[in-house]
Amino acid sequence: MDGFSTLKVNDDGDRLIVQLHRPEVRNAIDQTMVDELHAVCDLLEKQPRVLILAGSNGVFASGADIAQLRERRRDDALAGINSTLFARIARLPMPVIAALDGYALGGGAELAYAADFRIGTPSLKIGNPETGLGILAAAGATWRLRELVGEPLAKEILLAGRILGAEEALAARLITEIHEPDALLPAANALADRIGRQDPLAIRITKSVFHAPPEAHPVIDQLAQGILFESEAKFDRMQAFLDRKKK
């Protein structure tokens, strides 16, 4: 995890804290950052842990790098440069927490939408201004945002360029907590601590089942439960619960 030029990575044992770091362009997502985030995914797919994604210098990510975006053509769009990465992040075995400060716009917002949890600061501005640049939000916003906030608000954001402040995002449940900037990462770590108190295998399987298509239920739920019913952690944790009840 050393040698990155667009990321600051802290391996904290049961979690990986990754800060986007291109301060000269407000952490705009360029090809190098995409490649480095793929390297992070490589590690987390092999060694599943919670991922905390954050920005730096008071900004999460101002969007995709417009200088690079302007030069991309049809074949680049069909390659799904950002959408492929964000889908991979959404599929990571363990939960992903996005800690959002300042701007989370365009591709930065779509990266946040791919996370399992989003928390923010009072200065948060989140939304998708892509249509103002003559393109669409093609890295997940057109379908993830509707799932997250509902169709009416999603259309305001995607079709009318509405940018949400922190309180609006909280009211829409797009984020679940607001913290001052110096408390943002501690809050993300506190959430990671709560996740860490659960059984890791149960977390991984629950996340997979949660994202399964509707037609896969209830069969996939029953098969997943069958796996967990045979795990040692299930017996150990339930026995510990029963022992506490006896006291």
Side-chain angles (χ1 to χ4, degrees):
M1 290 286 98
D2 295 327
F4 289 145
S5 63
T6 70
L7 304 176
K8 290 183 175 180
V9 179
N10 180 34
D11 188 332
D12 204 13
D14 66 339
R15 70 202 63 171
L16 207 65
I17 302 170
V18 174
Q19 291 179 279
L20 313 182
H21 189 67
R22 296 185 71 216
E24 70 282 3
V25 287
R26 294 181 175 176
N27 301 333
I29 301 169
D30 68 348
Q31 185 64 58
T32 301
M33 185 180 288
V34 168
D35 294 340
E36 292 181 353
L37 285 170
H38 273 298
V40 169
C41 291
D42 284 339
L43 176 66
L44 293 174
E45 287 162 355
K46 294 170 185 172
Q47 302 174 28
R49 286 176 282 170
V50 170
L51 170 62
I52 296 175
L53 283 172
S56 55
N57 295 75
V59 176
F60 181 68
S62 59
D65 190 301
I66 301 299
Q68 286 190 3
L69 200 59
R70 185 184 181 280
E71 301 306 314
R72 289 180 182 171
R73 306 302 292 266
R74 176 191 59 205
D75 288 348
D76 297 307
L78 294 175
I81 294 169
N82 285 0
S83 62
T84 300
L85 170 65
F86 299 166
R88 191 177 184 188
I89 288 172
R91 291 194 305 267
L92 285 172
M94 291 290 282
V96 178
I97 301 167
L100 309 174
D101 191 12
Y103 295 118
L105 299 174
E110 290 182 294
L111 174 56
Y113 303 156
D116 299 290
F117 303 92
R118 284 162 298 280
I119 62 176
T121 66
S123 66
L124 175 64
K125 301 292 182 185
I126 186 167
N128 293 91
E130 281 88 343
T131 53
L133 296 171
I135 59 174
L136 65 87
T142 54
W143 55 277
R144 282 199 182 99
L145 193 53
R146 178 167 53 188
E147 293 179 356
L148 291 168
V149 302
E151 183 173 323
L153 182 54
K155 282 183 174 177
E156 278 198 69
I157 293 168
L158 295 170
L159 303 180
R162 181 173 173 183
I163 304 298
L164 302 184
E167 292 292 344
E168 293 172 304
L170 181 65
R173 305 305 289 165
L174 186 56
I175 62 173
T176 55
E177 302 173 16
I178 297 176
H179 299 277
E180 292 300 323
D182 60 353
L184 184 64
L185 271 179
N189 277 298
L191 178 53
D193 289 340
R194 296 205 302 272
I195 295 167
R197 290 193 285 271
Q198 316 308 309
D199 173 51
L201 181 61
I203 289 288
R204 291 177 61 181
I205 290 180
T206 299
K207 180 174 175 177
S208 295
V209 170
F210 185 92
H211 289 291
E215 60 270 18
H217 302 280
V219 173
I220 191 171
D221 306 63
Q222 295 161 355
L223 293 173
Q225 190 75 298
I227 293 170
L228 291 171
F229 271 11
E230 298 296 326
S231 72
E232 287 189 25
K234 174 248 187 178
F235 291 100
D236 292 344
R237 284 171 174 264
M238 288 191 176
Q239 188 60 54
F241 175 83
L242 293 172
D243 290 344
R244 288 195 300 272
K245 290 276 285 184
K246 291 177 183 177
K247 295 179 180 179

